[in-house]
Amino acid sequence: MGEAALKLVESDRFALTEVSVETQLAVERFLFRQAEILDEAEWDDWLALFTEDGHYWMPAREDQEDGEGVPNIFWENLDIMRMRIRRNTHPHAHSQSPHNRLCHVVSNVIVEKVEANGDVIVRSRFHCAEYFRYQVRNFTGKYRHYLKKTPDGYKIALQRVDLVNREGPYDYVMQWWV
């Protein structure tokens, strides 16, 4: 199990820690900026939000404690995310014709833990609407982030996405990240 996944598992997922207004605002702004970057399909900017060993994780089950070596909806490091972006943005990517549009709303941002080095564990709720092929699909759920504090601000070591509707039937596979 990776360090970031271990920190999320060991953390009390209902914890609430007192933080300064500055820390709360910095975490909220980071999450809001991430949503905006995804909505605008600024893929290089999105990848830059992750640490070099960062992961995007969408487990297949709510009780999963690790993404390594087990079935997941997504368990992606930067290399796999780059590959998905190249595949989806290729001029001949029929699965992206016409291109989809996303709209994220992030709320209920709660800092669970602040480590001595400034790293934080934070949970939040989200709603993501995807418009594609004249239909709207809705994804809702909760995020948990393990954010590393760097001189350039926070970076995502691990983003866990638990969909409320993870077992729902879909007309097509999720191409992008929610």
Side-chain angles (χ1 to χ4, degrees):
M1 178 181 308
E3 172 195 352
L6 185 60
K7 288 189 182 280
L8 285 187
V9 169
E10 289 177 345
S11 175
D12 176 359
R13 63 188 185 118
F14 297 109
L16 169 66
T17 192
E18 291 296 321
V19 296
S20 68
V21 172
E22 292 82 11
T23 298
Q24 182 71 30
L25 285 174
V27 168
E28 288 177 4
R29 286 179 180 150
F30 181 87
L31 297 179
F32 298 158
R33 182 171 181 266
Q34 180 190 18
E36 202 169 42
I37 288 170
L38 284 168
D39 291 347
E40 299 302 323
E42 296 293 337
W43 303 119
D44 290 338
D45 291 342
W46 186 64
L47 292 172
L49 297 177
F50 285 82
T51 61
E52 284 301 313
D53 61 347
H55 277 80
Y56 179 93
W57 178 26
M58 187 182 293
R61 296 183 341 268
E62 185 176 16
D63 62 350
Q64 271 183 251
E65 294 185 353
D66 193 11
E68 192 71 45
V70 295
N72 294 284
I73 299 169
F74 290 107
W75 175 251
E76 297 185 347
N77 63 18
L78 282 172
D79 289 335
I80 295 171
M81 289 186 269
R82 285 184 189 105
M83 182 178 62
R84 178 184 299 277
I85 289 166
R86 282 193 307 271
R87 186 186 69 226
N88 286 342
T89 58
H90 190 279
H92 301 294
H94 297 291
S95 68
Q96 289 298 301
S97 180
H99 293 289
N100 72 340
R101 293 190 298 267
L102 299 172
C103 183
H104 289 78
V105 176
V106 179
S107 68
N108 301 33
V109 178
I110 298 172
V111 177
E112 295 179 12
K113 182 178 182 181
V114 178
E115 297 183 345
N117 61 3
D119 296 352
V120 297
I121 296 173
V122 60
R123 68 181 180 270
S124 58
R125 303 296 173 159
F126 72 89
H127 175 234
C128 176
E130 176 191 45
Y131 179 72
F132 186 58
R133 296 185 181 160
Y134 310 107
Q135 294 182 3
V136 175
R137 288 196 303 184
N138 291 290
F139 301 98
T140 58
K142 54 189 171 185
Y143 291 138
R144 286 188 81 215
H145 287 84
Y146 178 55
L147 301 178
K148 301 284 279 176
K149 182 79 169 182
T150 74
D152 299 323
Y154 291 113
K155 297 275 187 177
I156 301 168
L158 178 64
Q159 177 173 343
R160 179 181 173 137
V161 180
D162 283 288
L163 288 177
V164 168
N165 49 335
R166 77 174 55 82
E167 7 355 68
Y170 300 112
D171 293 335
Y172 52 91
V173 175
M174 280 187 277
Q175 298 291 319
W176 297 108
W177 302 274
V178 296

